[in-house]
């Protein structure tokens, strides 16, 4: 069963060494992510699943390794036992965020009880029904499961955004932020995949997996909702 979930974004620039002179611009984002991970620790899960979108559905039961080399930084990160299976970009950022947390270093990254870590990837083109089913699968059984959901909002918030400016992007992200703040699983389940693709919403499938895992009756908190580089970044907690 799901005991807690955190939503965090996946900009590589969250790593200060990549951001360099602009590192301070994301200080508040990093702090919010740290707060979210601390809340997951307080939930005392039996297992943590780090979830993000990627090329195809996959489970990384033994963890995996990821690298920031494609972004120009010689830095590798690991989940679980650090198996040779490569991490998707989203899971790579998730692993880096976990590495900042003393709780994660002590209880998760080593792949030991009481909170071993696994990775899960949902295909970027998965439809809402498949996402909902995947969410139910991830939390089935007696284990107390926590989810770390890694994904961004729209990348079309400004003229300098990766997807350029789209007038629909800001209201879309505003509604997305409200759904995260209210722990509104129905609103996440109703996200339109076609519109999300047009607005470069990379987190859509992972958020819909969260909706399938959580179901109704949850409590939500929105810790961060900004678009510093024209991309919607959210940090939220569901319990």
């Amino acid at each position: 069963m799901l005991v807690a979930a955190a939503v965090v974004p996946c900009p590589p620039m969250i790593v200060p060494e990549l951001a360099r002179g602009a590192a301070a611009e994301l200080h508040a984002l990093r702090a919010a992510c740290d707060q979210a991970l601390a809340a997951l620790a307080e939930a005392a899960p039996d297992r943590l699943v780090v979830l993000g979108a990627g090329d195809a559905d996959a489970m990384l039961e033994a963890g995996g390794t990821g690298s920031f080399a494609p972004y120009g930084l010689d830095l590798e990160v690991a989940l679980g036992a650090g198996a040779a299976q490569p991490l998707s970009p989203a899971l790579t950022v998730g692993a880096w965020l976990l590495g900042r947390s003393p709780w994660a270093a002590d209880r998760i990254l080593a792949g030991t009880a009481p909170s071993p870590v696994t990775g899960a990837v949902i295909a970027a083109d998965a439809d809402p029904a498949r996402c909902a089913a995947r969410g139910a699968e991830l939390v089935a059984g007696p284990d107390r499961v926590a989810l770390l959901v890694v994904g961004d909002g729209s990348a079309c918030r400004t003229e300098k955004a990766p997807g350029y400016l789209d007038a629909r992007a800001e209201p879309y992200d505003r509604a997305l932020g409200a759904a995260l703040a209210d722990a509104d699983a129905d609103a996440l389940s109703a996200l339109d995949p076609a519109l999300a693709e047009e607005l470069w919403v990379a987190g859509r499938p992972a958020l819909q997996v969260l909706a399938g895992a959580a179901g109704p009756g949850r409590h939500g908190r929105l810790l961060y909702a900004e678009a510093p580089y024209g991309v919607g970044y959210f940090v939220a907690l569901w319990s």
Side-chain angles (χ1 to χ4, degrees):
M1 65 175 180
L2 182 71
V3 295
V7 175
V8 296
C10 54
M13 292 281 283
I14 199 169
V15 179
E17 292 86 349
L18 271 173
R20 297 183 182 178
E25 295 178 4
L26 294 184
H27 176 74
L29 173 58
R30 294 184 201 96
C33 291
D34 293 343
Q35 182 180 350
L37 287 171
L40 290 187
E42 290 174 5
D46 299 318
R47 179 165 54 94
L48 175 72
V49 180
V50 183
L51 167 70
D55 294 335
D57 288 5
M59 282 298 301
L60 288 72
E61 297 290 355
T65 57
S67 174
F68 288 91
Y71 310 105
L73 179 63
D74 184 16
L75 174 65
E76 288 192 349
V77 292
L79 283 175
Q85 192 165 357
L87 299 177
S88 68
L91 265 60
T92 297
V93 171
W96 182 84
L97 288 170
L98 282 170
R100 285 170 54 86
S101 164
W103 172 76
D106 293 342
R107 302 177 62 188
I108 288 184
L109 291 185
T112 58
S115 301
V117 66
T118 59
V121 180
I122 182 72
D125 60 355
D127 63 35
R130 173 59 189 143
C131 293
R134 187 71 183 285
E137 292 167 4
L138 289 175
V139 298
D143 283 356
R144 292 167 50 84
V145 179
L147 288 179
L148 179 60
V149 182
V150 188
D152 300 337
S154 174
C156 298
R157 293 279 295 270
T158 69
E159 293 181 354
K160 294 183 178 181
Y164 196 65
L165 174 64
D166 190 312
R168 301 170 296 174
E170 187 170 350
Y172 183 100
D173 275 358
R174 193 181 309 120
L176 180 54
L180 292 173
D182 295 338
D184 190 340
D186 288 341
L188 294 187
S189 296
L191 294 174
D192 179 8
L195 178 59
E197 184 176 5
E198 292 174 9
L199 294 178
W200 293 40
V201 183
R204 188 277 306 172
L207 292 171
Q208 291 188 316
V209 172
L210 168 61
R218 297 283 176 171
H219 174 71
R221 276 198 296 156
L222 190 62
L223 304 179
Y224 184 94
E226 300 289 344
Y229 302 124
V231 182
Y233 298 150
F234 300 94
V235 180
L237 285 169
W238 285 20
S239 58

